[in-house]
Amino acid sequence: MQNLVVLGATGTIGRNTLDVAARHADKLQVLGLSAQRDAEGLFELCRQHRPRFAVLADPVAAERLRGLCREAGLACEVAAGAEAICELAAHPEAGQVMSAIVGAAGLLPTLAAVRAGKRVLIANKEPLVMAGALLMAEAARHGASLIPIDSEHNAIFQCLPAPARCGETPRGVSRLILTASGGPFRETPLAELDAVTPQQAVRHPNWVMGQKISVDSATMMNKGLELIEAAVLYRLPAERLEVVIHPESAIHSIVEYVDGSMLAQLGQPDMRVPIAHALAWPERWESGVGGLDLAALGRFRFEAPDERRFPCLRLARFALKQGGALPNALNAANEVAVEAFLQHRLNYPGIPAVIEEVMDAAVGRQAGDDLEGILALDAWARGLAETAVAERGRSLRHA
């Protein structure tokens, strides 16, 4: 029996993790759950899975959850605040920690779990993009193991030669090829992208995901972040990392070996597949997802991404090649720009425009190799991005 902590429990990854865990109650016990401010959502999960601990970042929401648990007679210890989430991530009785908090907010809890030597199932890209070198160094120092949950990186992990470990260059590998669906605007005429709405952008053709990652999929920033993430996880240079559009979303990534062989991982576009793999690794557990009907799919298509349509992918490639402060600045600016777009404060083409403006200002800045420096750079880039969003909003209103 292993104790499981799920950070970001009310999100898509968190709920899918708990779905898989419930199928294997003889092997996994839910020790603790965290969320940002969704007291009612977390209460329902507490009622279903009976964790010993529940933490909400927002103190008002935590008080609401405390009352709901008391009324329902749940023996669940409720805490509040970012520090309490980090304490839950590092709890001595936690065996596995699912790190699924969206955005830069996931960095400190992920780092806490790593420094506690946990087995960390890492579903959020942003900490690896912001602070990949720091996280991998701390994992090696404290004996933590990282298993990626992103469908692409989990697919790569499954196709690597044993005993592959994140943070080490895999033997005999020549290229890693990340597949991308192309999102909802793969065939939209370029002239129509100016009028894209948030409602259209979050309507992914294959996957069910949260709003932020759905917009990242539409812009292909998610694939750009995954390129940076792959360089961190598998210690390969940019020229050995590629992206190909695969609209069927059945092949989740491909590993090419020096002998010309290619190994690919296939499966339904359902996050329970990589989650079940990571929870069970090195074994295999049932996920609740059926296999592919290859005859029904009929064919697999592949195409190169058009960087005129997906300028965020171009920006992420540049950040990966240049390194330094650029990956952290890219991530911070993207989070601000996507939030502004979802709030109707920025139009769709404004997302890459804001990111590029922040990256231009970040060229030559110190990257920050410690936590304080990383967080300072993140805050600086967010402030600059907010200013850029406001200026673009004024320009659009006066146009």
Side-chain angles (χ1 to χ4, degrees):
M1 181 67 70
Q2 297 182 60
N3 283 326
L4 173 66
V5 165
V6 181
L7 307 176
T10 56
T12 304
I13 296 294
R15 291 180 183 277
N16 279 324
T17 300
L18 292 169
D19 179 90
V20 174
R23 296 170 189 274
H24 302 281
D26 58 326
K27 304 180 186 75
L28 286 173
Q29 178 173 300
V30 178
L31 176 69
L33 303 175
S34 87
Q36 180 66 22
R37 61 178 63 88
D38 184 2
E40 284 73 16
L42 194 58
F43 168 70
E44 285 303 317
L45 294 177
C46 290
R47 194 174 55 78
Q48 293 170 37
H49 301 282
R50 302 300 171 110
R52 283 168 49 195
F53 305 101
V55 185
L56 282 159
D58 183 87
V60 175
E63 191 57 38
R64 168 71 176 151
L65 176 62
R66 194 172 286 114
L68 290 170
C69 289
R70 187 166 53 244
E71 290 171 13
L74 295 182
C76 180
E77 184 177 325
V78 178
E83 186 176 342
I85 293 176
C86 290
E87 290 173 0
L88 178 62
H91 195 283
E93 295 181 45
Q96 299 197 59
V97 177
M98 170 59 78
S99 177
I101 297 173
V102 175
L107 173 58
L108 293 180
T110 302
L111 187 58
V114 164
R115 286 174 168 166
K118 304 301 182 184
R119 178 166 162 176
V120 183
L121 283 52
I122 188 159
N124 50 341
K125 303 172 178 65
E126 293 85 358
L128 286 168
V129 173
M130 294 173 64
L134 175 64
L135 280 170
M136 301 314 293
E138 292 296 284
R141 183 175 295 115
H142 296 282
S145 59
L146 296 180
I147 302 181
I149 300 299
D150 258 351
S151 60
E152 295 79 7
H153 292 111
N154 185 265
I156 289 168
F157 189 83
Q158 293 193 48
C159 293
L160 291 177
R165 287 179 57 87
C166 289
E168 299 175 359
T169 303
R171 294 176 291 107
V173 169
S174 60
R175 280 192 305 164
L176 301 180
I177 303 169
L178 303 172
T179 56
S181 69
F185 308 129
R186 182 175 62 87
E187 297 179 327
T188 302
L190 294 178
E192 295 180 12
L193 292 178
D194 285 0
V196 160
T197 68
Q199 291 73 24
Q200 292 171 318
V202 301
R203 203 175 299 139
H204 195 280
N206 300 330
W207 294 89
V208 177
M209 303 180 293
Q211 285 195 320
K212 195 266 183 182
I213 193 172
S214 293
V215 175
D216 283 351
S217 180
T219 65
M220 278 191 72
M221 178 56 87
N222 72 322
K223 215 53 50 180
L225 296 176
E226 286 165 15
L227 282 173
I228 300 170
E229 194 179 1
V232 172
L233 289 172
Y234 304 116
R235 297 179 64 85
L236 288 172
E239 58 269 20
R240 291 168 65 184
L241 304 171
E242 295 189 17
V243 171
V244 64
I245 290 179
H246 166 54
E248 291 76 20
S249 294
I251 296 174
H252 299 302
S253 275
I254 303 165
V255 175
E256 182 184 77
Y257 287 86
V258 293
D259 60 4
S261 300
M262 284 182 156
L263 297 184
Q265 187 266 342
L266 286 72
Q268 297 280 4
D270 189 312
M271 286 307 299
R272 289 177 296 172
V273 175
I275 288 168
H277 167 264
L279 286 171
W281 187 84
E283 300 177 19
R284 295 276 181 173
W285 293 349
E286 186 269 331
S287 66
V289 181
L292 287 173
D293 185 338
L294 296 177
L297 278 171
R299 63 174 180 161
F300 292 150
R301 293 170 292 168
F302 302 97
E303 58 192 64
D306 178 359
E307 292 188 351
R308 295 175 305 157
R309 179 180 300 278
F310 302 114
C312 285
L313 182 59
R314 170 182 58 81
L315 293 171
R317 283 188 186 278
F318 183 76
L320 172 59
K321 289 178 180 177
Q322 296 298 311
L326 290 186
N328 194 348
L330 169 97
N331 177 72
N334 180 62
E335 285 194 32
V336 170
V338 169
E339 182 180 12
F341 170 68
L342 288 169
Q343 296 172 349
H344 301 274
R345 295 187 292 119
L346 184 69
N347 66 1
Y348 185 75
I351 297 173
V354 166
I355 295 167
E356 189 159 18
E357 184 173 333
V358 173
M359 287 177 63
D360 286 346
V363 172
R365 284 187 70 95
Q366 290 292 103
D369 54 5
D370 59 4
L371 184 59
E372 183 180 1
I374 290 164
L375 294 176
L377 178 58
D378 173 76
W380 170 82
R382 285 173 191 275
L384 197 59
E386 288 287 4
T387 300
V389 166
E391 289 176 352
R392 287 186 67 82
R394 281 194 293 272
S395 298
L396 288 172
R397 285 193 297 274
H398 294 140

